[in-house]
Amino acid sequence: MQGSTQQNMTSHQKSVTVRVSLWKNERDIALSFPPEWEVVECKMAGHDLPPLTSAQIRKAFQNPIGTTPIRNIAVNKQKVVILFDDLTRPTPAGKMLPFIFEELAAAGVGDDKIRLVSAIGCHRPLSRHEMILKLGREVVEKYPVFNHNLFEHLVDLGKTRLETPVLVNREVAGCDFKIGLGCIIPHHTAGFGGGAKILLPGVSSIDTMTNHHVVLQKKFPDQVGHCLVDHNPVRLDMEEAARIAGLDVVVNVVLNHRKEVLGVFVGDFVKEHRAGVNFAKKVYQTENQGRYDILVVNAFPVEETPIKAAWPAKEFLKKDGDVVLIWQNLDGKVPHYLTGTFGSDYGGRKWRAPGNFRFSQAKRMFIYADELSKEERDWWGPQDRVFWYRDWDDLIRKLQSSYKRGTRVAVYPYATLQCPVLHSD
């Protein structure tokens, strides 16, 4: 179930409104620019698409892709688990769960047979308050909700053809009906999120993720990347693991920057995912007008992994141009057991020592954030290239010392959702 898209680009604006702080203190803020600069707001093609109605969402459940409806295949199931993504993703799980519960009730599955597991992958566990933010208070009070543990309570189900060990959450492995719930947004290695990704890395072990994230990316560097899905070995490996683990159905949504649902894709986790990706490419694709002196990239809505906002710099920044990162989330960079820093000179298995400048295409990086830790500042790069500002006007004044009339500025208002213009697979 989906709508149609059109390109959105607004030129010569002097103030742009962006959304910040997903889930916690979510709000809009205004960014003002000097009147003598040329400012282009680069919106995604689907920016103005209307959200789906409840009737349209229900229709997607009635017409799944590659499977029969959940209400048919869940009959006589005794243990049902719903996997959901964490607060690093904008999936409005609380909005979508009633449709899943409706399908399960029609299959005769009682509430006592249902549990939910947070598919956090390598991220930190969720608190009760965060589970309520994601799922809704009624769900947390009515059903058992568990955090995944990537170090313990795992079941060995074998290996994929690329030698990835399929070690899966014990609670998930013990259920006879497995449903995934997530969103399809651009991803820097898997191409797009969604589909089988809810299982690998979602509820897999640290050893599984080491082979999947580290070994495969080194082995197939040219086939892994932002918005690349076809023939992507990382994507294919996670799909094979999900088949081995018995993932039955996935419900994926395509969203706008307000967490409103523009498309719903239900069914087999490969077939529904490819249909969702083709729609997502049309929604998220973003036109550009050459290269710019300054790129302003907003990390919203995937603010806890803000490096995912970096892609426009590779495509559209002039040589020796500057990047401004809008990073206004309360929780900062998500603790990541595979890539995170855990000491002065060590970290996870995919850790990279701080010091290297993360925006190699840029001359400097400016971070607009209310709060920023020393570790986070060091992670972005050396002090002579990374500058932190709490006040937007102070940041602009600093840039004005280097840029005069005619400066070209592009604003990507929700860069972690956006992608360059792509053709459907």
Side-chain angles (χ1 to χ4, degrees):
M1 180 63 61
Q2 60 195 54
S4 61
T5 62
Q6 61 182 6
Q7 291 300 325
N8 287 273
M9 179 166 289
T10 306
S11 300
H12 307 296
Q13 294 194 32
K14 297 302 179 279
S15 180
V16 176
T17 298
V18 299
R19 201 158 186 81
V20 298
S21 197
L22 182 72
W23 300 111
K24 301 175 182 180
N25 194 30
E26 191 169 326
R27 66 198 187 279
D28 293 327
I29 62 172
L31 307 175
S32 297
F33 297 90
E36 66 271 17
W37 289 3
E38 177 188 338
V39 180
V40 177
E41 183 180 9
C42 302
K43 297 179 181 178
M44 65 187 185
H47 178 88
D48 296 317
L49 278 180
L52 297 183
T53 64
S54 293
Q56 289 173 315
I57 294 174
R58 187 168 285 109
K59 187 176 180 180
F61 280 86
Q62 295 167 350
N63 298 276
I65 302 169
T67 65
T68 59
I70 293 172
R71 63 181 59 203
N72 294 341
I73 52 180
V75 173
N76 297 323
K77 300 301 183 182
Q78 300 303 306
K79 292 183 177 181
V80 176
V81 63
I82 302 171
L83 313 179
F84 65 95
D85 51 20
D86 63 11
L87 268 68
T88 66
R89 301 295 185 267
T91 309
K95 179 179 178 65
M96 298 306 300
L97 282 171
F99 298 96
I100 297 176
F101 294 145
E102 184 178 292
E103 290 291 302
L104 293 173
V109 176
D111 291 339
D112 60 326
K113 297 179 180 179
I114 300 171
R115 74 275 289 141
L116 295 93
V117 173
S118 177
I120 60 175
C122 290
H123 301 166
R124 64 172 178 82
L126 301 181
S127 68
R128 180 186 65 214
H129 173 64
E130 290 169 329
M131 289 178 178
I132 290 172
L133 288 175
K134 188 77 176 185
L135 306 175
R137 187 177 305 278
E138 182 179 348
V139 170
V140 175
E141 292 178 351
K142 187 173 183 179
Y143 301 96
V145 184
F146 306 111
N147 277 302
H148 171 57
N149 183 338
L150 67 159
F151 301 107
E152 295 183 300
H153 310 299
L154 300 151
V155 178
D156 189 345
L157 300 177
K159 289 186 176 182
T160 68
R161 284 169 289 185
L162 292 175
E163 297 298 312
T164 297
V166 184
L167 296 160
V168 175
N169 179 284
R170 175 180 167 183
E171 187 73 21
V172 174
C175 290
D176 59 355
F177 195 63
K178 305 173 183 67
I179 304 172
L181 172 59
C183 64
I184 297 176
I185 60 176
H187 191 272
H188 61 294
T189 56
F192 280 85
K197 200 171 185 297
I198 200 73
L199 187 129
L200 171 57
V203 290
S204 300
S205 80
I206 186 69
D207 293 324
T208 300
M209 288 181 267
T210 298
N211 189 79
H212 183 72
H213 280 68
V214 181
V215 177
L216 295 189
Q217 289 178 42
K218 288 182 178 179
K219 190 173 182 179
F220 305 102
D222 297 330
Q223 295 170 258
V224 172
H226 186 248
C227 299
L228 298 178
V229 174
D230 275 6
H231 313 298
N232 184 331
V234 168
R235 169 60 57 179
L236 297 176
D237 191 56
M238 66 175 61
E239 290 172 347
E240 184 180 357
R243 290 279 181 227
I244 292 171
L247 182 60
D248 293 286
V249 175
V250 167
V251 177
N252 278 144
V253 294
V254 174
L255 306 165
N256 64 18
H257 63 292
R258 294 179 294 274
K259 300 199 299 287
E260 294 171 333
V261 178
L262 305 181
V264 177
F265 301 85
V266 181
D268 173 82
F269 58 78
V270 175
K271 294 178 180 178
E272 65 79 20
H273 183 258
R274 297 304 186 273
V277 164
N278 285 337
F279 179 57
K281 287 180 177 180
K282 297 173 184 176
V283 171
Y284 300 140
Q285 65 181 356
T286 305
E287 295 276 11
N288 75 92
Q289 297 177 352
R291 292 186 176 269
Y292 299 87
D293 301 297
I294 301 171
L295 281 182
V296 180
V297 293
N298 184 17
F300 187 90
V302 191
E303 294 163 303
E304 293 195 33
T305 49
I307 192 64
K308 294 178 181 178
W311 71 268
K314 300 177 182 178
E315 304 275 349
F316 309 128
L317 184 66
K318 288 183 179 179
K319 184 180 180 181
D320 292 329
D322 287 325
V323 170
V324 178
L325 174 70
I326 312 300
W327 194 19
Q328 290 285 340
N329 67 316
L330 294 174
D331 291 331
K333 187 159 55 71
V334 67
H336 197 290
Y337 288 108
L338 199 60
T339 64
T341 299
F342 299 106
S344 57
D345 58 356
Y346 59 90
R349 300 176 187 183
K350 199 185 171 186
W351 176 75
R352 193 172 87 183
N356 294 326
F357 188 42
R358 301 282 172 169
F359 279 93
S360 58
Q361 306 84 358
K363 179 173 60 177
R364 299 171 298 183
M365 175 186 183
F366 297 83
I367 302 175
Y368 176 44
D370 285 342
E371 299 176 358
L372 202 63
S373 71
K374 176 68 164 62
E375 187 273 326
E376 288 169 332
R377 298 198 303 275
D378 290 344
W379 186 87
W380 284 107
Q383 294 182 8
D384 62 343
R385 298 185 74 179
V386 178
F387 304 92
W388 169 34
Y389 286 84
R390 284 193 175 97
D391 186 89
W392 178 254
D393 291 337
D394 288 344
L395 189 157
I396 290 296
R397 278 191 287 270
K398 175 63 177 177
L399 286 172
Q400 282 183 291
S401 66
S402 301
Y403 294 96
K404 306 302 180 184
R405 179 175 296 277
T407 294
R408 299 190 75 227
V409 181
V411 181
Y412 286 77
Y414 28 75
T416 52
L417 273 188
Q418 298 176 262
C419 62
V421 176
L422 301 164
H423 298 291
S424 296
D425 293 330

mmCIF file of all heavy atoms in Angstrom, residues 232-259:
data_model
loop_
_atom_site.group_PDB
_atom_site.id
_atom_site.type_symbol
_atom_site.label_atom_id
_atom_site.label_comp_id
_atom_site.label_asym_id
_atom_site.label_seq_id
_atom_site.Cartn_x
_atom_site.Cartn_y
_atom_site.Cartn_z
ATOM 1 N N ASN A 232 23.828 -7.475 -2.798
ATOM 2 C CA ASN A 232 24.562 -7.049 -1.602
ATOM 3 C C ASN A 232 24.746 -8.253 -0.692
ATOM 4 O O ASN A 232 23.764 -8.786 -0.148
ATOM 5 C CB ASN A 232 23.774 -5.944 -0.892
ATOM 6 C CG ASN A 232 24.494 -5.370 0.317
ATOM 7 O OD1 ASN A 232 25.272 -6.052 0.981
ATOM 8 N ND2 ASN A 232 24.224 -4.122 0.631
ATOM 9 N N PRO A 233 25.985 -8.745 -0.477
ATOM 10 C CA PRO A 233 26.189 -9.960 0.322
ATOM 11 C C PRO A 233 25.758 -9.809 1.773
ATOM 12 O O PRO A 233 25.367 -10.796 2.411
ATOM 13 C CB PRO A 233 27.690 -10.221 0.205
ATOM 14 C CG PRO A 233 28.276 -8.917 -0.193
ATOM 15 C CD PRO A 233 27.250 -8.209 -1.007
ATOM 16 N N VAL A 234 25.831 -8.597 2.317
ATOM 17 C CA VAL A 234 25.362 -8.386 3.689
ATOM 18 C C VAL A 234 23.859 -8.624 3.763
ATOM 19 O O VAL A 234 23.357 -9.294 4.666
ATOM 20 C CB VAL A 234 25.734 -6.975 4.179
ATOM 21 C CG1 VAL A 234 25.012 -6.640 5.471
ATOM 22 C CG2 VAL A 234 27.240 -6.870 4.383
ATOM 23 N N ARG A 235 23.117 -8.075 2.825
ATOM 24 C CA ARG A 235 21.665 -8.291 2.779
ATOM 25 C C ARG A 235 21.324 -9.758 2.547
ATOM 26 O O ARG A 235 20.470 -10.334 3.221
ATOM 27 C CB ARG A 235 21.066 -7.404 1.682
ATOM 28 C CG ARG A 235 19.627 -7.674 1.304
ATOM 29 C CD ARG A 235 18.648 -7.514 2.428
ATOM 30 N NE ARG A 235 18.667 -6.202 3.048
ATOM 31 C CZ ARG A 235 17.867 -5.850 4.057
ATOM 32 N NH1 ARG A 235 17.008 -6.723 4.565
ATOM 33 N NH2 ARG A 235 17.940 -4.656 4.592
ATOM 34 N N LEU A 236 21.991 -10.403 1.597
ATOM 35 C CA LEU A 236 21.708 -11.799 1.283
ATOM 36 C C LEU A 236 22.050 -12.719 2.452
ATOM 37 O O LEU A 236 21.355 -13.701 2.716
ATOM 38 C CB LEU A 236 22.475 -12.220 0.028
ATOM 39 C CG LEU A 236 22.100 -11.466 -1.253
ATOM 40 C CD1 LEU A 236 22.992 -11.907 -2.408
ATOM 41 C CD2 LEU A 236 20.637 -11.676 -1.603
ATOM 42 N N ASP A 237 23.121 -12.394 3.170
ATOM 43 C CA ASP A 237 23.522 -13.207 4.315
ATOM 44 C C ASP A 237 22.487 -13.117 5.437
ATOM 45 O O ASP A 237 22.137 -14.135 6.047
ATOM 46 C CB ASP A 237 24.893 -12.741 4.811
ATOM 47 C CG ASP A 237 25.516 -13.689 5.816
ATOM 48 O OD1 ASP A 237 25.670 -14.885 5.497
ATOM 49 O OD2 ASP A 237 25.844 -13.229 6.932
ATOM 50 N N MET A 238 21.991 -11.925 5.706
ATOM 51 C CA MET A 238 20.985 -11.794 6.764
ATOM 52 C C MET A 238 19.687 -12.496 6.370
ATOM 53 O O MET A 238 18.993 -13.056 7.228
ATOM 54 C CB MET A 238 20.752 -10.332 7.130
ATOM 55 C CG MET A 238 20.140 -9.468 6.066
ATOM 56 S SD MET A 238 19.760 -7.763 6.634
ATOM 57 C CE MET A 238 21.370 -7.157 7.098
ATOM 58 N N GLU A 239 19.380 -12.506 5.085
ATOM 59 C CA GLU A 239 18.161 -13.189 4.645
ATOM 60 C C GLU A 239 18.299 -14.709 4.766
ATOM 61 O O GLU A 239 17.344 -15.396 5.155
ATOM 62 C CB GLU A 239 17.829 -12.764 3.224
ATOM 63 C CG GLU A 239 17.352 -11.315 3.162
ATOM 64 C CD GLU A 239 17.176 -10.747 1.779
ATOM 65 O OE1 GLU A 239 17.644 -11.373 0.807
ATOM 66 O OE2 GLU A 239 16.553 -9.672 1.663
ATOM 67 N N GLU A 240 19.474 -15.225 4.484
ATOM 68 C CA GLU A 240 19.688 -16.659 4.676
ATOM 69 C C GLU A 240 19.602 -17.026 6.158
ATOM 70 O O GLU A 240 19.002 -18.032 6.534
ATOM 71 C CB GLU A 240 21.045 -17.084 4.111
ATOM 72 C CG GLU A 240 21.271 -18.588 4.200
ATOM 73 C CD GLU A 240 22.612 -19.021 3.644
ATOM 74 O OE1 GLU A 240 23.364 -18.166 3.127
ATOM 75 O OE2 GLU A 240 22.911 -20.222 3.739
ATOM 76 N N ALA A 241 20.175 -16.189 7.012
ATOM 77 C CA ALA A 241 20.103 -16.432 8.455
ATOM 78 C C ALA A 241 18.653 -16.412 8.938
ATOM 79 O O ALA A 241 18.250 -17.226 9.777
ATOM 80 C CB ALA A 241 20.925 -15.396 9.212
ATOM 81 N N ALA A 242 17.866 -15.488 8.413
ATOM 82 C CA ALA A 242 16.460 -15.398 8.814
ATOM 83 C C ALA A 242 15.674 -16.616 8.370
ATOM 84 O O ALA A 242 14.764 -17.078 9.082
ATOM 85 C CB ALA A 242 15.837 -14.123 8.254
ATOM 86 N N ARG A 243 16.007 -17.176 7.211
ATOM 87 C CA ARG A 243 15.359 -18.417 6.771
ATOM 88 C C ARG A 243 15.710 -19.562 7.724
ATOM 89 O O ARG A 243 14.847 -20.347 8.123
ATOM 90 C CB ARG A 243 15.803 -18.771 5.355
ATOM 91 C CG ARG A 243 15.297 -17.865 4.270
ATOM 92 C CD ARG A 243 13.891 -18.187 3.835
ATOM 93 N NE ARG A 243 13.500 -17.271 2.762
ATOM 94 C CZ ARG A 243 12.361 -16.631 2.706
ATOM 95 N NH1 ARG A 243 11.468 -16.777 3.676
ATOM 96 N NH2 ARG A 243 12.075 -15.838 1.701
ATOM 97 N N ILE A 244 16.980 -19.628 8.084
ATOM 98 C CA ILE A 244 17.413 -20.689 8.997
ATOM 99 C C ILE A 244 16.697 -20.562 10.335
ATOM 100 O O ILE A 244 16.286 -21.563 10.933
ATOM 101 C CB ILE A 244 18.940 -20.627 9.184
ATOM 102 C CG1 ILE A 244 19.654 -20.996 7.875
ATOM 103 C CG2 ILE A 244 19.393 -21.547 10.316
ATOM 104 C CD1 ILE A 244 21.154 -20.749 7.891
ATOM 105 N N ALA A 245 16.520 -19.340 10.798
ATOM 106 C CA ALA A 245 15.907 -19.109 12.106
ATOM 107 C C ALA A 245 14.389 -19.192 12.076
ATOM 108 O O ALA A 245 13.750 -19.189 13.134
ATOM 109 C CB ALA A 245 16.334 -17.738 12.638
ATOM 110 N N GLY A 246 13.790 -19.243 10.893
ATOM 111 C CA GLY A 246 12.352 -19.415 10.796
ATOM 112 C C GLY A 246 11.534 -18.152 10.988
ATOM 113 O O GLY A 246 10.432 -18.207 11.545
ATOM 114 N N LEU A 247 12.059 -17.011 10.519
ATOM 115 C CA LEU A 247 11.284 -15.770 10.564
ATOM 116 C C LEU A 247 10.102 -15.912 9.610
ATOM 117 O O LEU A 247 10.286 -16.138 8.421
ATOM 118 C CB LEU A 247 12.174 -14.593 10.170
ATOM 119 C CG LEU A 247 11.560 -13.200 10.210
ATOM 120 C CD1 LEU A 247 11.081 -12.831 11.614
ATOM 121 C CD2 LEU A 247 12.574 -12.158 9.713
ATOM 122 N N ASP A 248 8.879 -15.773 10.128
ATOM 123 C CA ASP A 248 7.696 -16.086 9.334
ATOM 124 C C ASP A 248 7.177 -14.915 8.512
ATOM 125 O O ASP A 248 6.902 -15.055 7.316
ATOM 126 C CB ASP A 248 6.570 -16.569 10.266
ATOM 127 C CG ASP A 248 6.891 -17.904 10.906
ATOM 128 O OD1 ASP A 248 6.832 -18.922 10.199
ATOM 129 O OD2 ASP A 248 7.219 -17.925 12.112
ATOM 130 N N VAL A 249 7.011 -13.781 9.140
ATOM 131 C CA VAL A 249 6.397 -12.626 8.497
ATOM 132 C C VAL A 249 7.091 -11.364 8.989
ATOM 133 O O VAL A 249 7.478 -11.280 10.159
ATOM 134 C CB VAL A 249 4.891 -12.525 8.831
ATOM 135 C CG1 VAL A 249 4.287 -11.250 8.253
ATOM 136 C CG2 VAL A 249 4.130 -13.728 8.305
ATOM 137 N N VAL A 250 7.218 -10.379 8.104
ATOM 138 C CA VAL A 250 7.715 -9.075 8.522
ATOM 139 C C VAL A 250 6.720 -7.998 8.086
ATOM 140 O O VAL A 250 6.168 -8.056 6.977
ATOM 141 C CB VAL A 250 9.116 -8.782 7.945
ATOM 142 C CG1 VAL A 250 9.485 -7.317 8.119
ATOM 143 C CG2 VAL A 250 10.158 -9.656 8.643
ATOM 144 N N VAL A 251 6.513 -7.057 8.977
ATOM 145 C CA VAL A 251 5.706 -5.873 8.697
ATOM 146 C C VAL A 251 6.659 -4.686 8.651
ATOM 147 O O VAL A 251 7.305 -4.366 9.654
ATOM 148 C CB VAL A 251 4.638 -5.648 9.787
ATOM 149 C CG1 VAL A 251 3.852 -4.368 9.499
ATOM 150 C CG2 VAL A 251 3.712 -6.854 9.902
ATOM 151 N N ASN A 252 6.801 -4.082 7.485
ATOM 152 C CA ASN A 252 7.686 -2.926 7.322
ATOM 153 C C ASN A 252 6.899 -1.700 6.899
ATOM 154 O O ASN A 252 5.936 -1.796 6.136
ATOM 155 C CB ASN A 252 8.758 -3.195 6.271
ATOM 156 C CG ASN A 252 9.943 -3.968 6.818
ATOM 157 O OD1 ASN A 252 10.511 -4.802 6.119
ATOM 158 N ND2 ASN A 252 10.335 -3.719 8.049
ATOM 159 N N VAL A 253 7.339 -0.546 7.402
ATOM 160 C CA VAL A 253 6.710 0.717 7.028
ATOM 161 C C VAL A 253 7.736 1.624 6.375
ATOM 162 O O VAL A 253 8.934 1.554 6.654
ATOM 163 C CB VAL A 253 6.081 1.421 8.256
ATOM 164 C CG1 VAL A 253 4.924 0.592 8.804
ATOM 165 C CG2 VAL A 253 7.112 1.685 9.349
ATOM 166 N N VAL A 254 7.265 2.475 5.486
ATOM 167 C CA VAL A 254 8.028 3.585 4.925
ATOM 168 C C VAL A 254 7.412 4.852 5.500
ATOM 169 O O VAL A 254 6.182 5.017 5.492
ATOM 170 C CB VAL A 254 7.979 3.583 3.389
ATOM 171 C CG1 VAL A 254 8.647 4.826 2.819
ATOM 172 C CG2 VAL A 254 8.657 2.325 2.847
ATOM 173 N N LEU A 255 8.258 5.750 6.006
ATOM 174 C CA LEU A 255 7.790 6.869 6.824
ATOM 175 C C LEU A 255 8.215 8.214 6.252
ATOM 176 O O LEU A 255 9.150 8.302 5.450
ATOM 177 C CB LEU A 255 8.368 6.748 8.242
ATOM 178 C CG LEU A 255 8.138 5.429 8.973
ATOM 179 C CD1 LEU A 255 9.061 5.344 10.174
ATOM 180 C CD2 LEU A 255 6.686 5.325 9.412
ATOM 181 N N ASN A 256 7.562 9.263 6.743
ATOM 182 C CA ASN A 256 8.076 10.601 6.533
ATOM 183 C C ASN A 256 8.821 11.058 7.788
ATOM 184 O O ASN A 256 9.006 10.278 8.737
ATOM 185 C CB ASN A 256 6.961 11.585 6.135
ATOM 186 C CG ASN A 256 5.919 11.781 7.231
ATOM 187 O OD1 ASN A 256 6.140 11.472 8.410
ATOM 188 N ND2 ASN A 256 4.764 12.303 6.845
ATOM 189 N N HIS A 257 9.243 12.312 7.821
ATOM 190 C CA HIS A 257 10.064 12.793 8.933
ATOM 191 C C HIS A 257 9.240 13.062 10.195
ATOM 192 O O HIS A 257 9.812 13.438 11.229
ATOM 193 C CB HIS A 257 10.806 14.064 8.525
ATOM 194 C CG HIS A 257 9.916 15.212 8.193
ATOM 195 N ND1 HIS A 257 9.093 15.224 7.094
ATOM 196 C CD2 HIS A 257 9.713 16.395 8.825
ATOM 197 C CE1 HIS A 257 8.423 16.353 7.057
ATOM 198 N NE2 HIS A 257 8.774 17.089 8.097
ATOM 199 N N ARG A 258 7.936 12.858 10.124
ATOM 200 C CA ARG A 258 7.093 12.999 11.314
ATOM 201 C C ARG A 258 6.642 11.656 11.868
ATOM 202 O O ARG A 258 5.696 11.585 12.647
ATOM 203 C CB ARG A 258 5.876 13.873 10.974
ATOM 204 C CG ARG A 258 6.216 15.324 10.638
ATOM 205 C CD ARG A 258 4.987 16.138 10.279
ATOM 206 N NE ARG A 258 4.389 15.663 9.029
ATOM 207 C CZ ARG A 258 4.783 16.070 7.817
ATOM 208 N NH1 ARG A 258 5.778 16.941 7.705
ATOM 209 N NH2 ARG A 258 4.203 15.614 6.724
ATOM 210 N N LYS A 259 7.290 10.571 11.425
ATOM 211 C CA LYS A 259 6.953 9.203 11.818
ATOM 212 C C LYS A 259 5.561 8.797 11.337
ATOM 213 O O LYS A 259 4.964 7.883 11.878
ATOM 214 C CB LYS A 259 7.068 8.978 13.339
ATOM 215 C CG LYS A 259 8.439 9.218 13.938
ATOM 216 C CD LYS A 259 8.602 8.551 15.309
ATOM 217 C CE LYS A 259 7.650 9.024 16.358
ATOM 218 N NZ LYS A 259 7.974 10.394 16.843
#
